[in-house]
Amino acid sequence: MPDQFEHYITKNIKAFYKRRLLTPILYLIFLLVLWFVLSLSAPLFPDTLDAPDTLESTYRRHEEYISATLSDLKFTGYTQSFLGHIIGYYYYTMRNDECIIVLLSPNTSEQGLPEIPQVSVRAKILHGSENFDELLNHLASDLNWTENGIHNKVSQYVLSEPDYNLLGNTLLYVVFFATGGYALICIVFFILYICFPILSPACQDLALFGNPKKLLEQAEDELATLPQLATEDMFITEHFFIETSVYGNAIVPIDEIIWIYKYSTLHKFFWYHFSISYTLHISANRHLYIQCPKNIKSDIDGIMDYLAEANHNILVGFSEANRLKVQEIQGTPMHFEKFIAFLKKRV
């Protein structure tokens, strides 16, 4: 039996972070797949529209976002509006014997200059839509051309600067890089905790009460010589309360505990109640707050009774009087302690 608890806390800390390591790795893989499938790099790093390339050939290569330098643009007299505001001015220009339509933003076109000798833009290549067909029909009428004639002369692809819309994708990129960065940080920290368990939050909490390395070694030694009380994932040794569950790890000196109580949770599916689980809440000195969720009532009652017997100063049970006493001792509102505990669970 003693061999079973040899370095038991350290082993469970490593196992805990090995399990948690999978989620951020899978999420990063998902982001990478999303990056390539949706070509999310294209707006950030647009391809250059080379001289020999036509809009159609570039579009068919799935290079929709491009940067280009255009010359001798002439205003068509038509604009594009959205919700009553002009968002673009239509120009036409010749490019390699191909007449193309270019939609420029109000700033680039300076609110519709009649002619623009040269301009460098970042734009998106769009295939002609119903609005584009309507534009060509109006141009045909203005030039006394037939509709078939102008459709044969003008490219069916449009260069649209407003549709490049890098600013509109900003929120997507912020979410993408922020969540990806968080996942990467989690991976780094989880690997660090696996290699060096003493750096994990559960062990570093011991620094509130002394040297964490020495306290961890003491807890390991006491647990290895058999705990005085044990449940499936909670243990009491001579000087420590220890939790080693799938929800987290905790090591608390019994002398530092000031309040314990249990909280019940009713689990149901629609109207069917199928189980009740209990969470042990522990408040210790130095604003240390621990939750041990999803236990059975008999286990938690046994732990609470033993802790109350081992330390007669512990407040037992949830009540307003106990809450106020703890708040007076801790000097901070209890909800703040719970928030800090929640953040620690996430790391």
Side-chain angles (χ1 to χ4, degrees):
M1 182 68 80
D3 291 341
Q4 176 186 348
F5 293 110
E6 191 73 27
H7 302 295
Y8 189 79
I9 302 173
T10 300
K11 291 176 182 176
N12 275 275
I13 291 174
K14 290 182 178 181
F16 174 74
Y17 287 106
K18 284 178 182 177
R19 290 192 300 269
R20 295 195 65 184
L21 191 59
L22 181 62
T23 301
I25 289 176
L26 290 178
Y27 183 70
L28 278 184
I29 293 174
F30 167 74
L31 289 184
L32 287 174
V33 171
L34 204 64
W35 180 270
F36 290 106
V37 170
L38 299 182
S39 299
L40 295 179
S41 62
L44 294 177
F45 310 102
D47 297 293
T48 301
L49 186 63
D50 297 323
D53 292 332
T54 64
L55 295 187
E56 180 178 2
S57 63
T58 304
Y59 182 86
R60 292 186 182 280
R61 291 199 305 267
H62 303 289
E63 297 174 2
E64 299 177 27
Y65 293 91
I66 57 95
S67 63
T69 299
L70 306 171
S71 303
D72 194 23
L73 290 90
K74 294 180 174 55
F75 184 40
T76 63
Y78 294 96
T79 62
Q80 185 179 93
S81 299
F82 180 72
L83 298 178
H85 297 281
I86 296 176
I87 62 171
Y89 293 78
Y90 283 105
Y91 286 77
Y92 68 90
T93 184
M94 297 300 298
R95 186 177 178 278
N96 298 334
D97 299 326
E98 178 185 41
C99 182
I100 64 171
I101 300 296
V102 182
L103 182 63
L104 296 180
S105 67
N107 290 336
T108 302
S109 64
E110 297 184 27
Q111 308 297 328
L113 288 175
E115 294 185 0
I116 301 178
Q118 189 176 71
V119 65
S120 294
V121 295
R122 287 187 169 188
K124 184 178 181 181
I125 303 176
L126 303 176
H127 190 270
S129 62
E130 183 178 341
N131 290 336
F132 177 71
D133 291 337
E134 186 178 352
L135 170 68
L136 292 189
N137 292 340
H138 284 299
L139 285 177
S141 177
D142 294 340
L143 298 173
N144 292 322
W145 283 15
T146 64
E147 293 180 5
N148 287 335
I150 197 166
H151 277 276
N152 290 331
K153 290 294 183 181
V154 178
S155 171
Q156 297 301 302
Y157 295 85
V158 183
L159 270 183
S160 174
E161 186 182 18
D163 282 290
Y164 188 82
N165 197 22
L166 183 59
L167 185 60
N169 292 327
T170 299
L171 180 60
L172 172 63
Y173 286 119
V174 168
V175 172
F176 192 94
F177 288 113
T179 57
Y182 177 74
L184 186 60
I185 290 173
C186 286
I187 291 172
V188 172
F189 275 98
F190 293 168
I191 292 175
L192 192 64
Y193 298 154
I194 292 169
C195 297
F196 307 100
I198 189 63
L199 298 178
S200 67
C203 296
Q204 287 304 301
D205 283 341
L206 289 173
L208 298 171
F209 314 114
N211 186 307
K213 185 176 181 180
K214 290 182 179 179
L215 289 174
L216 175 61
E217 290 174 354
Q218 182 183 353
E220 292 274 30
D221 290 341
E222 291 183 7
L223 187 60
T225 58
L226 291 184
Q228 298 182 2
L229 182 66
T231 68
E232 184 178 354
D233 53 21
M234 295 181 294
F235 307 91
I236 294 178
T237 66
E238 182 180 357
H239 298 99
F240 295 93
F241 167 81
I242 301 165
E243 178 200 10
T244 56
S245 73
V246 295
Y247 306 103
N249 296 275
I251 313 161
V252 190
I254 295 176
D255 289 343
E256 300 292 343
I257 298 175
I258 57 178
W259 187 24
I260 54 176
Y261 66 91
K262 65 175 180 286
Y263 181 84
S264 62
T265 302
L266 177 64
H267 302 277
K268 59 182 181 179
F269 183 77
F270 291 108
W271 299 276
Y272 178 68
H273 301 168
F274 58 88
S275 68
I276 298 177
S277 69
Y278 293 84
T279 299
L280 175 63
H281 295 254
I282 298 177
S283 292
N285 289 314
R286 308 294 181 87
H287 310 290
L288 180 61
Y289 184 82
I290 294 168
Q291 299 181 54
C292 307
K294 295 191 176 180
N295 287 277
I296 61 176
K297 184 176 182 297
S298 59
D299 286 350
I300 290 184
D301 286 342
I303 292 289
M304 290 176 62
D305 290 342
Y306 199 98
L307 288 175
E309 186 65 29
N311 181 356
H312 296 289
N313 294 322
I314 294 177
L315 301 171
V316 180
F318 185 87
S319 66
E320 182 64 13
N322 284 345
R323 188 188 70 82
L324 292 175
K325 286 180 183 179
V326 174
Q327 184 172 326
E328 182 180 353
I329 295 171
Q330 298 284 34
T332 56
M334 290 303 299
H335 65 265
F336 179 75
E337 297 169 16
K338 292 181 180 181
F339 177 69
I340 296 299
F342 172 79
L343 291 182
K344 287 182 178 179
K345 287 286 185 182
R346 305 277 74 79
V347 177

